[in-house]
C-alpha cells in the first residue's frame, strides 16, 4: 500500500492528482457534496480533508485511536462522520475542524458509518454483526438490526432515506425499512463476502462488490438480479455510483480501478417500459420496496428472478419482449466492456514483452563474443 490518494478526471488526457500525507494505508475516501473538498481515512488513525487541486493541501484530524475505516460527509457539507476499529463512530465539524460527539455502543470494530440524506440519522455497520441506527440530535441508538450471520462490512441509505441496505461477510445483502425496522429484502447471490454496495440515484437499482471477484446489479423494484459483471482478477473491494448514476466505479485487490457505464436506459428501452407500466418509486412515503427473500445462488452471469412474498402482476407480451430486449442490449454492453478491458491488458502484455526483447538484445550486443 502506498498511502497516497489518486484523483482522476473523467475527461480524456486530463491530469491526475496524487496526494501524499498519510503515514499508512488509505482505507476510505469521500467527496463533499459540492466536490470542493475530499476526505480520507487511514490506518494511521487520522482523517485528512483535502482541497483537490494541484497544490493538494490538507488538514489533518487526529480522529481515532485505531484504523479509520469510513468517512462520509453530511448532505449539507457542514459535518462528516467517521468509523473506526476503536469501536466508535465520531461526528466532526468540517469548517471549524472540531470534534462534535462520539457514538460508542458497538462492541467490535466499526467498518462503516453514513449520514441519512436529510442528515438527521446516522447508520453504522460493525464486526459485532449489527447495524445500528442513530438519531443525530439526541445521539441515541434508535434501533439495532441483528439479522446478519457474520461481520457487517458496509451499509448505506437509500436515496429516499426510507431504507438502508447492508452487506456482510455471510455473503448476503439485506434491506430494511428505517421507519418500521422491518426486513424488506434479503439477497444471497454472491459466493463470498460482500464488501461494498451503492444505490443508484434513482433508488431502483443496487450494485454490490464481492470477494468472489464479481459485481452484481440488482433491480430493487422487481427484486431480481439484473447483471453479473466480471472484470476484477481478485476480490472486488469497493463500488460506487456517480452522482448522476451514469457511471459506477469499482476497485479491487488486483490494484485496478474500473469505471463502468450504466446502461439501464440503453436505446430508450427504459422509456418504453415507463410508458407501458407506471414507474415504481420510493420517493413517496406511501410506497416501499417489495419484500424479497432470495437465498438461492444463481449461475455465473445469468439474471434470475428472486422469490417475492407478494403475487406477481400479470405481464403482457409487449412488456416481456421489451424487458428481454433491454436485458440483451445490457448484456451486450457488458460483453463489450469486458472485451475492451481484455484488449487493454493484452496491449500492456505486448508492450512489456517488447521491452523485454529490446533489453535482451541490448545485453547480447554488450556481451563480448
Amino acid at each position: 500500500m502506498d498511502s497516497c490518494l489518486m484523483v482522476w478526471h473523467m475527461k480524456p488526457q486530463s491530469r491526475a492528482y496524487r496526494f501524499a500525507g498519510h503515514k499508512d494505508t488509505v482505507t476510505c475516501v469521500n467527496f463533499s457534496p459540492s466536490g470542493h473538498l475530499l476526505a480520507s481515512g487511514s490506518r494511521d488513525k487520522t482523517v485528512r480533508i483535502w482541497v483537490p487541486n494541484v497544490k493538494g493541501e490538507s488538514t489533518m484530524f487526529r480522529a481515532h485511536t485505531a484504523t479509520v475505516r469510513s468517512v462520509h460527509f453530511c448532505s449539507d457539507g457542514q459535518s462528516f462522520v467517521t468509523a473506526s476499529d476503536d469501536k466508535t463512530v465520531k461526528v466532526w465539524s468540517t469548517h471549524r475542524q472540531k470534534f462534535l460527539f462520539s457514538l460508542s455502543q458497538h462492541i467490535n470494530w466499526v467498518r462503516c458509518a453514513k449520514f441519512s440524506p436529510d442528515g438527521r440519522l446516522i447508520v453504522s455497520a460493525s464486526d459485532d454483526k449489527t447495524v445500528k441506527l442513530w438519531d443525530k440530535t439526541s445521539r441515541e441508538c434508535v434501533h439495532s438490526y441483528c439479522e446478519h450471520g457474520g461481520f457487517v462490512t458496509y451499509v448505506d441509505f437509500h436515496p429516499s432515506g426510507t431504507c438502508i441496505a447492508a452487506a456482510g461477510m455471510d455473503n448476503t445483502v439485506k434491506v430494511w425499512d428505517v421507519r418500521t425496522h422491518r426486513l424488506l429484502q434479503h439477497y444471497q447471490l454472491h459466493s463470498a463476502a460482500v464488501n461494498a454496495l451503492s444505490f443508484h440515484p434513482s433508488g431502483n437499482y443496487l450494485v454490490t462488490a464481492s470477494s468472489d471477484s464479481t459485481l452484481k446489479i440488482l433491480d430493487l423494484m422487481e427484486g431480481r438480479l439484473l447483471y453479473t459483471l466480471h472484470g476484477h482478477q481478485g476480490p472486488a473491494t469497493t463500488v460506487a455510483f456517480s452522482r448522476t448514476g451514469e457511471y459506477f466505479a469499482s476497485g479491487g485487490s488486483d490494484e485496478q480501478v474500473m469505471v463502468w457505464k450504466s446502461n439501464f436506459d440503453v436505446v430508450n428501452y427504459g422509456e418504453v417500459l415507463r410508458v407501458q407500466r407506471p414507474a415504481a418509486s420510493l420517493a413517496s412515503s406511501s410506497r416501499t420496496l417489495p419484500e424479497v427473500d432470495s437465498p438461492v445462488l444463481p449461475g455465473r452471469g445469468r439474471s434470475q428472478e428472486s422469490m417475492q412474498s407478494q403475487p406477481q402482476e400479470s405481464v403482457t407480451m409487449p412488456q416481456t419482449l421489451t424487458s428481454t430486449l433491454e436485458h440483451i442490449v445490457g448484456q451486450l454492453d457488458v460483453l463489450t466492456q469486458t472485451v475492451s478491458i481484455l484488449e487493454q491488458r493484452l496491449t500492456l502484455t505486448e508492450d512489456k514483452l517488447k521491452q523485454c526483447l529490446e533489453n535482451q538484445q541490448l545485453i547480447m550486443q554488450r556481451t563480448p563474443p
Side-chain angles (χ1 to χ4, degrees):
M1 301 291 184
D2 60 10
S3 74
C4 294
L5 276 75
M6 293 294 298
V7 178
W8 289 275
H9 289 271
M10 293 296 289
K11 295 179 180 178
Q13 284 80 48
S14 293
R15 179 178 176 181
Y17 298 143
R18 183 175 184 271
F19 299 147
H22 283 293
K23 306 302 181 186
D24 205 338
T25 304
V26 177
T27 56
C28 52
V29 292
N30 184 235
F31 272 104
S32 65
S34 67
H36 295 151
L37 296 174
L38 177 63
S40 62
S42 169
R43 282 186 184 168
D44 66 11
K45 309 173 188 178
T46 71
V47 168
R48 285 181 177 268
I49 304 294
W50 307 80
V51 179
N53 57 22
V54 177
K55 293 182 180 179
E57 298 170 338
S58 68
T59 302
M60 185 182 71
F61 293 74
R62 297 189 185 279
H64 290 271
T65 58
T67 297
V68 181
R69 294 286 176 185
S70 171
V71 59
H72 181 245
F73 281 101
C74 189
S75 57
D76 62 7
Q78 298 301 308
S79 58
F80 62 92
V81 61
T82 58
S84 169
D85 287 358
D86 65 10
K87 307 176 188 177
T88 67
V89 174
K90 293 185 178 182
V91 178
W92 310 78
S93 169
T94 305
H95 301 292
R96 287 188 293 163
Q97 301 174 14
K98 181 181 177 183
F99 167 74
L100 297 179
F101 59 88
S102 180
L103 307 171
S104 53
Q105 288 189 25
H106 282 293
I107 57 173
N108 207 335
W109 296 355
V110 187
R111 293 190 179 237
C112 185
K114 296 287 185 78
F115 277 109
S116 61
D118 61 11
R120 293 187 297 176
L121 299 171
I122 295 170
V123 68
S124 57
S126 169
D127 280 7
D128 63 12
K129 304 181 184 179
T130 71
V131 172
K132 292 187 183 294
L133 189 67
W134 311 82
D135 184 289
K136 181 185 173 185
T137 304
S138 68
R139 306 176 189 178
E140 296 291 330
C141 179
V142 177
H143 192 79
S144 290
Y145 304 89
C146 307
E147 285 89 342
H148 274 284
F151 298 163
V152 189
T153 56
Y154 200 89
V155 68
D156 201 2
F157 277 93
H158 185 275
S160 68
T162 61
C163 304
I164 54 172
M169 297 284 282
D170 58 2
N171 309 355
T172 69
V173 172
K174 300 180 189 294
V175 182
W176 292 275
D177 188 314
V178 298
R179 299 161 297 183
T180 64
H181 308 308
R182 286 181 61 190
L183 178 65
L184 295 178
Q185 298 185 353
H186 166 85
Y187 297 94
Q188 190 162 356
L189 304 173
H190 286 285
S191 59
V194 186
N195 299 314
L197 53 79
S198 179
F199 283 102
H200 187 267
S202 69
N204 295 337
Y205 306 98
L206 184 76
V207 62
T208 59
S210 170
S211 292
D212 65 11
S213 81
T214 69
L215 309 176
K216 291 183 185 287
I217 297 178
L218 310 177
D219 184 327
L220 297 175
M221 302 316 298
E222 296 188 6
R224 69 186 181 96
L225 174 66
L226 281 183
Y227 307 115
T228 296
L229 308 180
H230 303 272
H232 289 287
Q233 301 302 306
T237 55
T238 188
V239 68
F241 276 108
S242 63
R243 293 276 166 87
T244 63
E246 185 180 0
Y247 300 94
F248 58 97
S250 62
S253 61
D254 57 1
E255 302 178 2
Q256 299 289 320
V257 174
M258 297 184 180
V259 179
W260 309 74
K261 186 172 175 60
S262 304
N263 54 9
F264 304 132
D265 294 315
V266 170
V267 198
N268 290 325
Y269 289 137
E271 292 297 328
V272 176
L273 278 174
R274 280 191 283 275
V275 170
Q276 294 182 345
R277 179 174 55 192
S281 171
L282 281 178
S284 169
S285 59
S286 64
R287 294 298 301 270
T288 187
L289 289 173
E291 294 190 25
V292 173
D293 185 7
S294 174
V296 181
L297 182 70
R300 288 172 66 90
R302 293 187 61 193
S303 173
Q304 301 222 349
E305 292 285 351
S306 300
M307 295 181 294
Q308 297 194 23
S309 61
Q310 298 176 350
Q312 295 282 341
E313 294 181 38
S314 59
V315 182
T316 62
M317 180 59 72
Q319 286 179 324
T320 306
L321 181 60
T322 304
S323 298
T324 303
L325 288 171
E326 185 184 37
H327 179 68
I328 290 171
V329 172
Q331 291 289 47
L332 285 173
D333 194 54
V334 171
L335 287 171
T336 302
Q337 292 182 21
T338 304
V339 170
S340 176
I341 291 168
L342 291 173
E343 287 176 345
Q344 291 174 14
R345 290 184 175 174
L346 182 60
T347 302
L348 287 172
T349 304
E350 289 174 345
D351 290 344
K352 288 181 180 178
L353 182 60
K354 182 180 178 182
Q355 187 177 3
C356 288
L357 289 171
E358 290 175 350
N359 290 338
Q360 187 177 14
Q361 288 178 353
L362 287 172
I363 293 170
M364 292 179 67
Q365 289 174 3
R366 292 173 183 170
T367 304

